[in-house]
Amino acid sequence: MKQGALIFDEQTDRYDIRFDLADYYGGLHCGECFDVMIGGKWRPTRIKMADSWYLVGIRADDLSGLRVRI
């Protein structure tokens, strides 16, 4: 598994995972599963879109910068 941080790509209007300065996942799609670090523990989730992007079962006002692994 690779670890990185969620970032919002304004060109594609979707979230991506940045692993390193020039290493990206390539864009996340609705329903895609990964783990997110919350309270010092990895929690499984998936990304969804309604009025805005959100993580199923995770409360976060801003997804950008969240530590994830996939």
Side-chain angles (χ1 to χ4, degrees):
M1 288 192 146
K2 289 178 78 172
Q3 291 185 30
L6 282 179
I7 61 153
F8 187 74
D9 183 346
E10 292 184 15
Q11 290 180 336
T12 61
D13 199 32
R14 67 179 62 244
Y15 277 88
D16 200 348
I17 301 172
R18 184 176 185 175
F19 300 113
D20 204 350
L21 289 176
D23 187 15
Y24 295 84
Y25 182 71
L28 293 167
H29 298 272
C30 275
E32 205 152 352
C33 298
F34 51 89
D35 297 331
V36 62
M37 179 66 75
I38 300 290
K41 294 182 182 181
W42 289 108
R43 296 192 41 199
T45 189
R46 65 186 185 279
I47 195 162
K48 300 283 277 182
M49 170 62 128
D51 292 333
S52 62
W53 290 98
Y54 68 97
L55 301 179
V56 175
I58 306 293
R59 288 186 186 199
D61 292 330
D62 186 9
L63 303 182
S64 293
L66 289 179
R67 195 164 134 204
V68 297
R69 68 181 183 186
I70 193 165

